[in-house]
Amino acid sequence: MALTNNPMAEPYKIKMVEPVKITTKEYREKVAKEAGYNTFLLRSEDVYIDLLTDSGTNAMSEYQWAGMMLGDEAYAGSKNYYFLENAMYECFGYKHLVPTHQGRGAENLVSQTLIKPGQYVPGNMYFTTTRAHQELQGGNFVDVIVDAAHDPYNTDPFKGNVDLQKFEDLIKKVGAENIAYITVGVTVNLAGGQPVSMANLKATGELARKHGIKVILDATRAMENAYYIKVRENGYENKSVKEILKEMCSHTDGATCSGKKDFHTNIGGFAACNDDEMALKMRNMVVLYEGLQTYGGMAGRDMEAMARGMLESCQDHVMAHRIAQSEYLGNKLIAAGIPIVLPIGGHGVFIDALKFYPHIPQEQYTAQSLANDLYVHAGVRSVERGTVSAGRNKDTGEEIRPKLETVRLAIPRRVYTQSHFDVVAEAVIDLYKNRDQARGLKMVYEPKYLRFFQARFEKL
Ligand SMILES: *Cc1c(COP(=O)(O)O)cnc(C)c1O
């Protein structure tokens, strides 16, 4: 099928371009300060290469754009909803779909439906919005990911796996009736985009089922995870991403999903499940928070674009290219001796800030400092995934100091070219050579919820 065996070669050509602004270092120093040294507070037009996130920053295809013109904007029963329902069933196989405006809308519905205050919610490492919704509902998040996930240099191919012993110990300790459900993230964003193996998903599902506990997949990057299973797990090399994805979901009871990642869209999300009663509850609640159960906060055209993107990205060669881009950037950094989380993640490259800036302690927000320095140096925007993102312990109020203090270079889908990645790599390498000059930060404004989005800092 392939004309080339280089998956880095784009399986698309460019039809429309968006010019970007070139700025000076003095200008970037000024705007970074104005933004409180928080890359979330920069203006997009001041950024040259934007690797803040791969969420909603994707380029849509002509097939998706054409679908936008077919939006059925009826308040109820839009035909785009039914197309989306079919696409979701074709790719994921869940019986019920509840559309939401984005992933966190689905997390809200699932948390409210399944968590009773005081219950425990284990998960394979936390994700910011997922945990926040669980805690808002009175749930207690418990990390049950394998230890390897917390070690940036452990090269286990499935570092996202659930540690079955930790899960079982929790069941023994608190009792299955006090566990709301288990969240399994595929891939695990904050561990560096690390996948979960099929064997682990199956075993997790079996253990949970034995105790009557539901498994809820965070399916946000499930297609990337399916691709990793194809190339890394024995017995899957001849199966398609689509077949693997369906098999993954068969070990779970439902899912929350951000449509802004793997589906090549700019907005959207859904909750899904097999249980009729759970679906009924979520459908009742969605009208309160998102919109009617046949649009969930999305315009008809957005549902159409998401459905089409879902079908497109569920193809082997699309995922092969996606993963090849992050590996290209990651391998350039590795070759220059830059400490990054291994194996290289699917949706981005994660720099180990504590090794990069060994003289800046975590109390001075090592990764936040590095993210800012990268912007000022080269106009490249990245994001902190360390102490600022981890927030505070909800009982003691103390800052959590995660073992992984990283800067994530997230890769939007179909947006940047090889030369852009070369620029990013050169900038990171330059900073590393001059790392002695870097200084830490102190936080001068801390919002109550998801503080990393709006916190402000000053240079020490
Ligand atoms: C982005 C993301 C979410 C939340 O989705 P939104 O669409 O941003 O609300 C949940 N889980 C993971 C793993 C994500 O990356």
Side-chain angles (χ1 to χ4, degrees):
M1 182 202 90
L3 287 172
T4 161
N5 58 10
N6 174 10
M8 180 71 186
E10 286 78 358
Y12 47 82
K13 57 185 176 175
I14 297 167
K15 188 177 321 236
M16 190 191 277
V17 297
E18 181 180 344
V20 285
K21 191 163 96 183
I22 309 288
T23 53
T24 63
K25 193 163 176 193
E26 293 69 42
Y27 179 82
R28 293 191 296 272
E29 252 157 15
K30 179 173 111 19
V31 295
K33 192 171 176 205
E34 283 166 7
Y37 299 108
N38 184 344
T39 53
F40 277 108
L41 300 178
L42 289 168
R43 290 178 187 228
S44 152
E45 62 177 1
D46 291 333
V47 173
Y48 175 48
I49 297 175
D50 202 350
L51 306 186
L52 180 78
T53 174
D54 62 324
S55 179
T57 53
N58 310 298
M60 294 208 295
S61 65
E62 57 177 7
Y63 178 58
Q64 288 176 289
W65 279 110
M68 297 283 283
M69 299 306 288
L70 302 176
D72 171 2
E73 306 304 344
Y75 190 88
S78 161
K79 71 176 182 204
N80 311 117
Y81 167 78
Y82 294 104
F83 182 56
L84 175 63
E85 195 180 38
N86 282 335
M88 188 284 289
Y89 186 73
E90 187 180 327
C91 298
F92 295 88
Y94 295 114
K95 191 169 162 198
H96 301 287
L97 169 77
V98 183
T100 59
H101 76 287
Q102 59 183 87
R104 70 199 67 184
E107 291 165 354
N108 177 37
L109 299 182
V110 168
S111 300
Q112 291 215 33
T113 304
L114 297 182
I115 301 174
K116 291 194 205 84
Q119 279 188 321
Y120 294 85
V121 194
N124 54 343
M125 201 174 262
Y126 80 102
F127 182 72
T128 53
T129 57
T130 320
R131 193 185 67 189
H133 278 293
Q134 292 166 350
E135 290 179 348
L136 219 50
Q137 230 17 65
N140 298 298
F141 168 80
V142 183
D143 186 4
V144 293
I145 203 167
V146 291
D147 286 337
H150 296 284
D151 172 2
Y153 304 104
N154 184 314
T155 56
D156 189 290
F158 290 106
K159 269 163 81 171
N161 280 354
V162 171
D163 186 321
L164 295 163
Q165 194 59 51
K166 286 185 193 167
F167 183 27
E168 194 160 14
D169 288 349
L170 180 73
I171 299 172
K172 282 206 189 107
K173 191 170 142 213
V174 304
E177 68 284 5
N178 291 316
I179 295 180
Y181 57 92
I182 178 170
T183 314
V184 183
V186 287
T187 58
V188 184
N189 190 339
L190 295 191
Q194 306 297 334
V196 176
S197 71
M198 189 72 82
N200 187 256
L201 266 170
K202 183 161 184 268
T204 302
E206 281 167 1
L207 178 58
R209 219 150 283 161
K210 198 170 99 189
H211 294 276
I213 298 168
K214 279 193 161 63
V215 180
I216 301 296
L217 202 67
D218 181 341
T220 296
R221 294 185 187 81
M223 285 148 184
E224 283 179 15
N225 200 107
Y227 180 76
Y228 279 124
I229 288 176
K230 180 179 170 70
V231 295
R232 291 183 185 173
E233 191 164 350
N234 280 341
Y236 288 93
E237 53 277 21
N238 295 321
K239 292 208 162 133
S240 68
V241 163
K242 209 172 192 174
E243 288 167 325
I244 295 170
L245 179 56
K246 262 207 161 151
E247 187 178 331
M248 286 164 60
C249 297
S250 75
H251 299 302
T252 72
D253 301 282
T256 58
C257 187
S258 169
K260 302 174 67 174
K261 319 283 171 54
D262 273 359
F263 307 156
H264 296 155
T265 43
N266 308 118
I267 195 72
F270 68 79
C273 65
N274 292 325
D275 183 83
D276 297 342
E277 198 193 329
M278 181 178 168
L280 203 64
K281 283 188 185 157
M282 291 201 295
R283 284 206 176 104
N284 191 216
M285 209 175 310
V286 76
V287 297
L288 205 53
Y289 291 97
E290 307 281 321
L292 198 72
Q293 69 277 5
T294 55
Y295 75 86
M298 281 181 282
R301 55 180 173 270
D302 294 328
M303 289 192 280
E304 187 68 24
M306 184 161 97
R308 290 180 178 218
M310 195 183 279
L311 296 168
E312 268 184 0
S313 64
C314 218
Q315 299 180 79
D316 297 10
H317 73 283
V318 172
M319 279 301 137
H321 171 66
R322 165 92 183 127
I323 304 301
Q325 281 202 328
S326 60
E327 293 198 340
Y328 177 80
L329 176 60
N331 282 325
K332 279 207 113 160
L333 296 182
I334 291 171
I338 308 291
I340 65 168
V341 175
L342 300 174
I344 298 163
H347 66 297
V349 174
F350 290 66
I351 302 170
D352 178 357
L354 293 173
K355 270 243 168 83
F356 197 101
Y357 281 165
H359 59 294
I360 303 181
Q362 242 174 335
E363 299 80 69
Q364 297 177 10
Y365 308 114
T366 325
Q368 188 78 24
S369 307
L370 176 54
N372 271 290
D373 293 347
L374 184 60
Y375 170 69
V376 171
H377 184 67
V380 174
R381 171 152 75 169
S382 57
V383 74
E384 191 258 18
R385 282 298 179 219
T387 307
V388 183
S389 295
R392 293 180 181 275
N393 180 299
K394 97 180 187 0
D395 298 320
T396 66
E398 274 175 53
E399 275 196 326
I400 299 166
R401 304 243 180 271
K403 291 200 186 101
L404 293 181
E405 175 81 23
T406 66
V407 166
R408 184 185 71 183
L409 303 164
I411 302 181
R413 295 161 187 80
R414 307 192 289 210
V415 173
Y416 292 115
T417 63
Q418 188 162 337
S419 345
H420 286 122
F421 295 118
D422 290 341
V423 169
V424 174
E426 276 165 35
V428 173
I429 294 163
D430 271 357
L431 278 183
Y432 191 59
K433 283 183 189 145
N434 299 303
R435 59 191 178 276
D436 298 344
Q437 294 161 23
R439 281 179 293 150
L441 296 167
K442 75 164 188 243
M443 200 183 291
V444 294
Y445 166 63
E446 179 176 1
K448 186 164 169 214
Y449 300 112
L450 301 173
R451 65 181 189 169
F452 54 94
F453 282 131
Q454 291 150 346
R456 300 186 71 87
F457 302 83
E458 277 172 11
K459 277 226 156 153
L460 287 170

